[in-house]
Amino acid sequence: MALMEKILLIFVILGAIEIIFLLILKNKSKASKRKDEEKSKSHDIKILSYDDEDLVCMVDNNLELEYGYRCEDKETYKNMKKTHRNIYIIIWFETEMENGGLGEYLFNPSNITMDYLQEALMDIEAFDLSKEYKKFIEENNIANSINKIKKRNVQEYSQFMSQFDFSYFNNLYKITNLRKLMADYIRKNIVNFSDLSEEELRILKEIDEENLSDNN
């Protein structure tokens, strides 16, 4: 065999070996990806059995990673998936309520979410709170008072808080279990808070129903 033919044969063999090697790497990559997807699905399935507090905390962490901590960009809220926005702003609202009530929420940067809050409360079925919030905002022309806030100093805070009676709303908040309502809402919209598809969720529900039937 001529020298040139031998060299060409060597290149052909090396090329074949390289192709085989690449195919092996590709298959390993696919297998690893499937494994990661299965692991993710397994985690998402477990989400359905989380208690209320763990579920809300998990979603809170995920939303914070996606949208940032206490986002103050109005465009971000416009582009948020509605289910995400609902939970994101209610969690922030809840934090401010625990710190100082409705006045705290409306005075602080959290008021960037105020135009979405009434609908968000309605969507999670906090109906009384949603109704009272809308009434309070409209009757007291809150938007006008918020526009006067410039420095957020002690003087402005005192002036703002002294203008309104937040007691009824704050008391109503205290008897409303927002954590449970949020957890129920997340479960109803779990597809938007996990990697589960509608079909997978349907199958899981069927399995749960079958298990309940067997146990009964």
Side-chain angles (χ1 to χ4, degrees):
M1 184 181 291
L3 179 61
M4 186 59 69
E5 291 177 345
K6 288 181 179 179
I7 293 173
L8 288 174
L9 180 59
I10 290 171
F11 278 117
V12 169
I13 293 171
L14 289 175
I17 292 172
E18 184 178 1
I19 290 171
I20 292 170
F21 182 69
L22 289 173
L23 287 172
I24 291 171
L25 286 178
K26 186 176 181 181
N27 287 332
K28 283 186 176 180
S29 177
K30 284 183 178 179
S32 176
K33 186 176 180 181
R34 281 197 299 269
K35 188 175 181 181
D36 289 341
E37 287 176 349
E38 288 171 2
K39 186 176 180 182
S40 176
K41 293 296 182 185
S42 175
H43 175 262
D44 288 333
I45 291 170
K46 289 179 182 178
I47 288 172
L48 296 173
S49 63
Y50 281 10
D51 64 27
D52 292 350
E53 187 62 28
D54 287 343
L55 182 60
V56 173
C57 286
M58 183 214 68
V59 169
D60 183 21
N61 290 334
N62 290 344
L63 293 177
E64 188 175 307
L65 285 172
E66 186 168 355
Y67 302 108
Y69 178 70
R70 298 185 178 183
C71 174
E72 295 184 35
D73 177 40
K74 290 185 177 181
E75 287 302 312
T76 299
Y77 290 102
K78 289 179 182 178
N79 297 323
M80 269 188 192
K81 188 179 294 185
K82 189 181 179 185
T83 49
H84 288 187
R85 187 174 65 213
N86 284 344
I87 296 300
Y88 186 92
I89 68 176
I90 290 176
I91 288 174
W92 193 358
F93 162 75
E94 182 185 53
T95 301
E96 297 298 331
M97 288 297 298
E98 293 298 324
N99 287 336
L102 183 60
E104 193 85 5
Y105 166 76
L106 293 172
F107 180 82
N108 285 334
S110 46
N111 64 29
I112 194 173
T113 69
M114 63 177 289
D115 290 340
Y116 297 105
L117 183 61
Q118 188 264 327
E119 185 177 15
L121 291 170
M122 182 68 72
D123 285 349
I124 70 165
E125 299 184 10
F127 299 124
D128 291 342
L129 212 55
S130 176
K131 180 180 178 181
E132 187 58 31
Y133 173 79
K134 181 180 179 181
K135 178 181 176 183
F136 185 92
I137 295 297
E138 292 176 350
E139 289 185 354
N140 292 287
N141 194 16
I142 293 296
N144 183 56
S145 296
I146 287 176
N147 288 335
K148 294 177 181 178
I149 299 172
K150 303 300 180 183
K151 300 178 181 179
R152 285 199 170 89
N153 54 24
V154 175
Q155 183 179 350
E156 283 189 343
Y157 181 80
S158 299
Q159 184 178 354
F160 181 83
M161 297 296 281
S162 64
Q163 292 179 68
F164 313 104
D165 181 6
F166 302 104
S167 58
Y168 182 80
F169 184 91
N170 291 343
N171 289 332
L172 182 61
Y173 166 82
K174 290 176 183 177
I175 61 173
T176 303
N177 191 343
L178 273 187
R179 285 273 148 165
K180 175 171 173 41
L181 293 174
M182 280 192 284
D184 290 344
Y185 178 79
I186 291 168
R187 291 189 184 99
K188 289 176 185 176
N189 297 278
I190 196 64
V191 171
N192 292 322
F193 295 100
S194 72
D195 291 330
L196 290 171
S197 68
E198 292 281 1
E199 179 63 16
E200 288 165 333
L201 185 61
R202 183 187 64 77
I203 293 171
L204 286 171
K205 286 182 177 179
E206 288 179 356
I207 292 172
D208 286 341
E209 289 172 0
E210 288 177 4
N211 289 337
L212 285 173
S213 297
D214 292 340
N215 291 334
N216 293 333

